Amino acid sequence: MALCSTFCPRVSTHLNCKPFSLFPIKPRFFVSIKALSSQTSASTPKADDLSASIGFLGLGIMGSPMAQNLIKAGRDVTVWNRTKSKCEPLISLGAKYKSTPEEVAASCDVTFAMLADPESAADVACGKYGAAKGMGPGKGYVDVSTVDGETSKLICEHIRATGAHFLEAPVSGSKKPAEDGQLIFLTAGDSVLYDKVAPLLDIMGKSRFYLGEVGKGAAMKLVVNMVMGSMMASFSEGLVLSEKVGLDPSVLVEVISQGAISAPMYALKGPSMVKSSYPTAFPLKHQQKDLRLALGLAESVSQPIPIAAASNELYKVAKSHGLSDQDFSAVIEALKVKLQHQT
Ligand SMILES: NC(=O)C1=CN([C@@H]2O[C@H](COP(=O)(O)OP(=O)(O)OC[C@H]3O[C@@H](n4cnc5c(N)ncnc54)[C@H](OP(=O)(O)O)[C@@H]3O)[C@@H](O)[C@H]2O)C=CC1
Ligand SMILES: O=CCCC(=O)O
């Protein structure tokens, strides 16, 4: 097994590449005791044995393959999605179904949620038939959606008020890593729940970071996606400019791939962007949401982020041209539209 290493300033880490196993023998990620809050293990949710029942709320591009991997690993999974038809493929694989988030949470030891945005994440957790209504001591709620820290804290309050534990665990990695169980979890919250769900995170992901109190996972995720959104906007400008000055953008993709600014994202998305094809892995509307939330995060600490702010504007233009549900690489189309107007 190839060994990788990584460094996180808050915790010391030793990371090796993912073994796909129902029974991970050793934690892949060693976290310094200082980084963990002190909690008792009394009435903590069971998730680290095969009999634990697992709920999954939100079966979109990411939630479906994540839930599928849990089912394929032999776990007892109960699903819910606003659009019920998206539950069918998972039910065919052996998942149970409940008709509200409340019922899922009431019938499961640990419930995961993968929702679109802060509004849907809060509604599914804290709304009328929300998961919090079904939570209680001994249970756990793991929100893997990308939301801002404030929303995460609000959800946490509702969950903890029932006596249950809460973990925020947004993910880095897109549709393919979700399918391949290669996501990166950025977790924060109740460390006792983190320890319990670690084997489940290891089924769905290749690594996990525990970052401290609620809000830190959300912040890490937003910073990562802020960088990603700006990188894609800049790459788009390069592709459009290269073509405009008579270069072959495919050659630009190749040149970039061999130099210091090479990135898997450019190599993955570049060839289809050159063909004006944007098969959706990460919807553009979600990238713009993440830039918007990153701007809010920066505002909260009076930190200027002018590059991200300019990128956000470009994604807003792309949205206004009906590209919300295309892959975020479709942001390049916003530049083409501008150029047409200029000529
Ligand atoms: N796609 C990606 O590459 C990645 C996405 N993320 C983040 O993960 C989250 C999910 O992303 P993704 O799966 O791509 O998104 P999708 O748009 O494919 O799925 C969104 C999910 O949220 C549900 N939903 C939306 N609005 C509501 C609502 N008001 N009430 C209840 N449920 C609602 C949808 O239900 P319905 O089916 O009924 O519409 C669906 O299950 C987002 O926060 C995104 O930023 C994180 C990493 C990578
Ligand atoms: O939030 C989406 C992240 C997509 C990715 O990490 O490739």
Side-chain angles (χ1 to χ4, degrees):
M1 189 165 36
L3 284 181
C4 316
S5 66
T6 188
F7 174 70
C8 168
R10 299 291 303 232
V11 293
S12 68
T13 70
H14 301 275
L15 179 69
N16 57 25
C17 292
K18 177 191 174 69
F20 192 85
S21 163
L22 290 183
F23 303 103
I25 312 161
K26 56 180 182 188
R28 236 172 284 143
F29 201 26
F30 301 96
V31 180
S32 73
I33 298 298
K34 232 171 74 180
L36 303 179
S37 56
S38 64
Q39 288 163 357
T40 68
S41 61
S43 75
T44 58
K46 61 174 185 172
D48 49 357
D49 63 71
L50 274 174
S51 67
S53 48
I54 302 158
F56 213 106
L57 311 172
L59 302 171
I61 292 169
M62 297 297 285
S64 288
M66 291 170 77
Q68 212 175 102
N69 281 334
L70 292 171
I71 298 165
K72 286 181 180 163
R75 300 302 180 134
D76 173 7
V77 178
T78 302
V79 295
W80 171 87
N81 192 63
R82 179 181 63 174
T83 307
K84 191 189 167 190
S85 58
K86 291 190 191 169
C87 298
E88 302 302 342
L90 294 152
I91 294 168
S92 309
L93 288 174
K96 296 169 190 157
Y97 170 77
K98 295 281 181 192
S99 58
T100 63
E102 176 180 356
E103 288 174 53
V104 172
S107 67
C108 291
D109 296 307
V110 171
T111 300
F112 286 83
M114 186 45 132
L115 285 317
D117 50 25
E119 295 72 26
S120 54
D123 195 42
V124 166
C126 318
K128 192 167 176 204
Y129 299 106
K133 295 260 165 50
M135 301 297 299
K139 291 178 184 285
Y141 192 74
V142 185
D143 197 331
V144 292
S145 324
T146 303
V147 299
D148 56 300
E150 291 314 305
T151 301
S152 198
K153 285 172 192 164
L154 176 83
I155 295 171
C156 174
E157 264 175 40
H158 279 77
I159 299 297
R160 282 187 183 155
T162 71
H165 290 283
F166 176 78
L167 192 73
E168 65 181 12
V171 298
S172 192
S174 194
K175 187 179 176 202
K176 181 80 166 55
E179 288 166 355
D180 295 345
Q182 293 288 312
L183 295 169
I184 301 162
F185 286 92
L186 308 171
T187 78
D190 291 325
S191 60
V192 78
L193 179 57
Y194 171 74
D195 291 339
K196 290 287 177 186
V197 299
L200 304 177
L201 302 185
D202 291 347
I203 290 168
M204 297 182 280
K206 66 176 179 183
S207 64
R208 45 188 157 87
F209 290 74
Y210 180 81
L211 301 164
E213 75 267 23
V214 173
K216 290 285 194 282
M220 180 66 85
K221 173 64 186 167
L222 293 180
V223 171
V224 171
N225 273 27
M226 177 194 80
V227 173
M228 190 175 78
S230 297
M231 279 175 68
M232 178 55 81
S234 178
F235 185 54
S236 297
E237 286 182 343
L239 289 174
V240 170
L241 178 60
S242 67
E243 189 161 28
K244 197 89 180 185
V245 298
L247 296 170
D248 180 348
S250 300
V251 178
L252 174 69
V253 174
E254 181 59 30
V255 171
I256 286 178
S257 78
Q258 293 188 26
I261 61 161
S262 71
M265 182 177 84
Y266 298 148
L268 185 71
K269 308 274 185 187
S272 52
M273 289 170 76
V274 168
K275 293 181 198 141
S276 303
S277 167
Y278 315 104
T280 309
F282 181 38
L284 187 143
K285 64 186 174 192
H286 293 334
Q287 175 63 82
Q288 195 273 319
K289 174 254 307 178
D290 293 350
L291 281 164
R292 174 173 59 80
L293 297 178
L295 285 165
L297 179 66
E299 176 78 30
S300 73
V301 290
S302 303
Q303 174 60 46
I305 49 169
I307 309 290
S311 301
N312 183 47
E313 292 305 314
L314 197 58
Y315 287 92
K316 282 162 65 182
V317 172
K319 274 175 65 175
S320 74
H321 287 287
L323 297 165
S324 287
D325 293 317
Q326 302 270 308
D327 189 68
F328 76 119
S329 50
V331 72
I332 191 173
E333 292 295 329
L335 294 164
K336 293 180 190 171
V337 169
K338 269 189 182 171
L339 288 171
Q340 275 161 16
H341 286 167
Q342 281 162 10
T343 53

